[in-house]
Amino acid sequence: MERYGNSGGDSGVSSFEIGVDYISVRFSGSMRTYRYSYRKAGQHHVETMKQLARSGNGLNSYINRYVKNLYD
């Protein structure tokens, strides 16, 4: 997993892993990994999450707002 940049300094995301049709996210204080895939969260959301993960900004907010319970 790759460490999340957290440019805002207050994210709940600690790390992520990007695949072709998914993104896996690990939150601070947890060892559990949440996988968001095209199948369940949808391609648009997954691709947006990949962009946010790479930029290190806004991923936690996006997850909470749009895909919180849409993990595999």
Side-chain angles (χ1 to χ4, degrees):
M1 303 233 6
E2 185 175 333
R3 185 181 192 124
Y4 182 63
N6 192 12
S7 61
D10 60 350
S11 180
V13 174
S14 63
S15 58
F16 65 93
E17 178 180 280
I18 291 175
V20 174
D21 62 351
Y22 71 89
I23 181 170
S24 294
V25 179
R26 186 171 290 160
F27 296 94
S28 303
S30 174
M31 293 306 292
R32 184 169 178 195
T33 301
Y34 295 83
R35 181 178 173 131
Y36 296 91
S37 69
Y38 285 5
R39 183 182 65 80
K40 191 138 183 203
Q43 182 177 356
H44 171 76
H45 288 305
V46 171
E47 291 301 319
T48 300
M49 291 168 66
K50 288 179 183 181
Q51 291 175 349
L52 294 170
R54 290 182 182 117
S55 74
N57 189 29
L59 181 57
N60 191 61
S61 296
Y62 189 89
I63 289 170
N64 284 329
R65 186 168 188 182
Y66 298 108
V67 297
K68 187 172 187 172
N69 295 315
L70 296 178
Y71 54 88
D72 294 345

